[in-house]
């Protein structure tokens, strides 16, 4: 579930900060992943024990369109995907896919805030001085960029 939340966080374009009570819409907002890639940064990703589950979720789609934006996968969508693909998923897997979709949508909404922290960071790397410096630099770069976007 951390992997799915990290994917959602990376795939979200933070909304621009308000300056003077006005929000300026960016015609081409960049996701965190696009910004990191442009800066030559490879994002940290949590380990995955069963990547095929994540692959299945991404094949179905981690969310579906709703009236007010993305919503979690409906049970009907999961059933329809199974029918189209000619597979019969176990009930526990259907529940897991639905729960992961809920987490994806929730994290995507939270990640719209410019100062939303990443849901996962590599703790093993956390004691490495170079890694800490890189992460602090990334945080400041994101903060500066979000303030520039608001101008």
């Amino acid at each position: 579930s951390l992997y799915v939340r990290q994917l959602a966080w990376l795939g979200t374009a933070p909304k621009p900060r308000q300056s003077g009570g006005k929000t300026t819409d960016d015609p081409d907002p960049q996701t965190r992943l696009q910004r990191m890639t442009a800066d030559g940064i490879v994002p940290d990703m949590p380990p995955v024990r069963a990547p095929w589950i994540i692959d299945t979720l991404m094949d179905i789609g981690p969310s579906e369109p709703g009236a007010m934006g993305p919503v979690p996968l409906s049970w009907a969508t999961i059933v329809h995907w199974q029918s189209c693909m000619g597979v019969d998923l176990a009930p526990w897997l259907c529940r897991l896919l639905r729960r992961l979709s809920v987490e994806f949508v929730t994290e995507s909404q939270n990640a719209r805030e410019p100062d939303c922290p990443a849901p996962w960071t590599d703790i093993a790397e956390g004691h490495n001085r170079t890694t800490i410096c890189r992460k602090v630099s990334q945080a400041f770069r994101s903060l500066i960029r979000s303030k520039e976007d608001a101008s």
Side-chain angles (χ1 to χ4, degrees):
S1 101
L2 273 176
Y3 192 89
V4 169
R5 289 178 51 216
Q6 188 80 353
L7 283 175
W9 183 83
L10 287 168
T12 300
K15 63 185 176 187
R17 289 190 185 272
Q18 294 182 350
S19 72
K22 298 178 185 175
T23 301
T24 54
D25 288 331
D26 185 354
D28 186 27
Q30 286 192 318
T31 66
R32 285 182 175 87
L33 181 60
Q34 289 170 326
R35 288 181 178 182
M36 291 172 106
T37 302
D39 291 340
I41 299 167
V42 177
D44 291 330
M45 293 301 288
V48 179
R49 291 187 194 159
W52 64 273
I53 294 174
I54 304 299
D55 291 345
T56 302
L57 177 67
M58 293 302 137
D59 194 28
I60 298 171
S63 64
E64 57 186 69
M68 300 296 285
V71 296
L73 294 174
S74 67
W75 293 108
T77 297
I78 295 170
V79 168
H80 182 71
W81 180 85
Q82 289 180 83
S83 174
C84 287
M85 300 310 286
V87 297
D88 188 20
L89 301 176
W92 68 266
L93 182 54
C94 292
R95 285 191 301 275
L96 177 60
L97 291 170
R98 168 94 171 120
R99 192 186 90 213
L100 291 173
S101 178
V102 168
E103 290 189 24
F104 184 90
V105 171
T106 301
E107 188 64 40
S108 294
Q109 291 301 317
N110 294 341
R112 296 271 299 131
E113 294 302 321
D115 56 355
C116 177
W120 186 86
T121 55
D122 190 354
I123 294 170
E125 284 187 23
H127 300 293
N128 179 335
R129 186 177 185 85
T130 305
T131 302
I132 292 170
C133 289
R134 179 178 55 92
K135 290 183 183 203
V136 169
S137 295
Q138 288 173 9
F140 280 119
R141 190 176 301 125
S142 295
L143 181 63
I144 290 167
R145 188 172 278 151
S146 67
K147 288 187 187 255
E148 288 173 352
D149 292 346
S151 303

